[in-house]
Amino acid sequence: MQVQTMPSEERERFISSTGWKFIGFLVLAFALTPVFYGLPLLSPLFAMVTSVRLHTTKMVWLWVVASLLVLMSVAPFILKLAGLSNFVVD
């Protein structure tokens, strides 16, 4: 019976490097929200050039979160145009 030693690089981690990238892109989306309305959508676009794009569920979550953040930041203006709210001050 042979015992194989695993190199230190192949050890399992609690969160993989792709998981850390995913978390970073989520944080980026939330950080870009107060800057300008459509900027959270840049987070999933940037994720498309990394290894995160290979994980369909993570990419779907990024797009959903970014889209919801954009809708939340644009919602007062849409409601004002529809005449349903006077939240936006002229």
Side-chain angles (χ1 to χ4, degrees):
M1 185 166 154
Q2 290 182 333
V3 176
Q4 294 180 347
T5 58
M6 291 180 67
S8 60
E9 298 171 291
E10 295 181 16
R11 279 189 250 152
E12 283 199 33
R13 300 183 205 167
F14 183 66
I15 297 179
S16 67
S17 62
T18 305
W20 282 112
K21 290 176 190 174
F22 172 69
I23 292 169
F25 285 119
L26 275 178
V27 169
L28 180 66
F30 280 100
L32 292 175
T33 300
V35 178
F36 192 71
Y37 309 119
L39 283 182
L41 292 175
L42 290 179
S43 177
L45 285 176
F46 290 151
M48 295 293 280
V49 297
T50 66
S51 60
V52 179
R53 76 176 181 279
L54 301 175
H55 301 276
T56 307
T57 54
K58 289 180 180 174
M59 285 305 298
V60 167
W61 275 108
L62 277 175
W63 282 109
V64 167
V65 168
S67 300
L68 286 175
L69 289 172
V70 169
L71 284 175
M72 285 173 43
S73 60
V74 177
F77 300 104
I78 294 173
L79 291 174
K80 173 72 172 174
L81 288 174
L84 300 172
S85 173
N86 58 358
F87 182 74
V88 179
V89 180
D90 292 328

